[in-house]
Amino acid sequence: MTAPSESEYVFGRHRPASHVVVHVSDPHFLAGGARLGGRYDVESTFARTLDAIRAVHPSPAAIVVTGDLADLGEPDAYRRLRDAVEPVAEELGTVVVWVAGNHDERPALREGLLDLAPTQEPVTGVWDLDGLRLIALDSSVPGWHHGDLDEAQLTWLAEILREPAPHGTLLAMHHPPLPSHLPLFDILELRHQDELADVIRGTDVRGILAGHLHYSSHGTFAGIPVSVSSATCYTMNVARPAAEVNGMDAAQAFQLVHVHPDTITHTVVPVVDAPTGTFFSEEWLDRMARLGPDGRLEAFSRKR
């Protein structure tokens, strides 16, 4: 039986999203399929992530991967990542947006994933997703782990944002313009945030997608929502005291970004094999759809 699409059933006040974007971050692939730190099987976890992406939406507008695509910037790591993702994107009829992170090497990334000359030029781009504009920024700084956006990139961004897009704009970047409660991340944060704020404040930018932290986080920057997707390679055990937070092979996730006319939601999708209940089903949805609003209220809202 074919699972129902999101647009088949509308029980509340909101119509289905105009666009759905899959937001993935920090795969940290290594050459030869090696385990990260000799411990984390990043390719296996990423394969489960791709299976989950196939299941959650049949035709996302884009798959956005916000940086640290490879852990050491090795050419074979980028080839392996591309071989994993592109067949899924083709199957779903969508585009892949690769964003550079602090662990990436621009020359190898540009050549291995984008078929471009292997230079140190920033990895940036603009996509028109049926009226939703997606802009990839490159906050990586060659040779360093902190983030930054130079004057040339900010000028380029300002010029693009002069003309609004029909459904607004999403920015994708690796380093989030947000504070972290973890002491280490203060060292690795995005610099010149005020200059970025001056460029995007008052424009049609509706959201910022980022990674880098290895845990999910949300906030606002220049009045714009920022959503950080957890890593697929390993995550941070933030249940520990801030100074003792370390990586763990659990809670890997990605996010589903639903774009509505008046809001954008970011849903954390765990990549986990766990028993799942059976109360809701396609048959249940069909029955509720036939009842109509009053019948649904009586059948489901009243406590028994």
Side-chain angles (χ1 to χ4, degrees):
M1 182 177 294
T2 302
S5 69
E6 295 176 2
S7 61
E8 286 185 52
Y9 305 104
V10 179
F11 297 147
R13 60 175 291 172
H14 294 282
R15 302 300 301 175
S18 62
H19 302 76
V20 178
V21 173
V22 174
H23 178 196
V24 185
S25 201
D26 292 82
H28 282 262
F29 268 42
L30 286 158
R35 288 175 178 258
L36 182 60
R39 175 181 180 184
Y40 303 109
D41 188 351
V42 299
E43 291 200 12
S44 176
T45 306
F46 198 77
R48 298 205 316 272
T49 300
L50 292 174
D51 287 341
I53 289 171
R54 286 189 182 99
V56 295
H57 199 279
S59 56
I63 298 173
V64 183
V65 192
T66 50
D68 284 358
L69 313 173
D71 188 64
L72 299 174
E74 302 155 305
D76 184 59
Y78 292 116
R79 284 194 292 269
R80 299 176 75 88
L81 181 61
R82 185 173 186 173
D83 288 346
V85 174
E86 286 194 346
V88 176
E90 184 176 356
E91 174 188 330
L92 299 178
T94 191
V95 299
V96 182
V97 177
W98 303 110
V99 178
N102 55 287
H103 277 264
D104 290 305
E105 295 292 339
R106 288 177 178 175
L109 190 165
R110 289 170 60 86
E111 185 173 42
L113 293 180
L114 305 176
D115 297 324
L116 297 174
T119 69
Q120 287 287 0
E121 288 296 307
V123 180
T124 59
V126 183
W127 289 260
D128 179 358
L129 307 175
D130 293 325
L132 174 68
R133 181 166 54 197
L134 178 65
I135 301 175
L137 301 175
D138 189 343
S139 61
S140 70
V141 180
W144 299 86
H145 283 297
H146 67 271
D148 208 346
L149 295 170
D150 62 21
E151 184 177 352
Q153 197 170 162
L154 291 174
T155 300
W156 171 80
L157 176 62
E159 184 62 31
I160 294 171
L161 294 177
R162 290 183 189 279
E163 183 71 27
H167 291 276
T169 296
L170 292 178
L171 302 183
M173 58 195 298
H174 183 63
H175 296 79
L178 290 179
S180 173
H181 71 289
L182 304 180
L184 173 62
F185 283 98
D186 290 343
I187 305 170
L188 308 176
E189 68 184 5
L190 179 71
R191 299 183 182 178
H192 294 101
Q193 293 187 23
D194 290 343
E195 288 80 354
L196 174 61
D198 289 341
V199 170
I200 66 177
R201 187 180 287 111
T203 68
D204 74 336
V205 175
R206 301 180 61 192
I208 300 173
L209 311 181
H212 188 50
L213 301 182
H214 286 235
Y215 63 89
S216 297
S217 185
H218 305 272
T220 58
F221 173 75
I224 297 166
V226 180
S227 183
V228 180
S229 183
S230 178
T232 65
C233 61
Y234 69 85
T235 63
M236 304 304 286
N237 187 355
V238 294
R240 305 175 77 172
E244 299 175 14
V245 170
N246 279 282
M248 63 179 183
D249 195 7
Q252 285 93 339
F254 63 97
Q255 292 190 8
L256 271 182
V257 182
H258 286 80
V259 179
H260 295 267
D262 59 343
T263 190
I264 297 177
T265 64
H266 303 262
T267 302
V268 176
V269 182
V271 179
V272 62
D273 183 14
T276 304
T278 59
F279 182 86
F280 297 112
S281 65
E282 185 176 354
E283 290 79 10
W284 186 92
L285 288 171
D286 284 336
R287 180 168 63 87
M288 293 295 281
R290 289 193 299 271
L291 288 175
D294 292 340
R296 288 197 292 271
L297 182 63
E298 177 66 23
F300 190 63
S301 294
R302 182 186 298 274
K303 290 184 179 179
R304 300 299 184 188

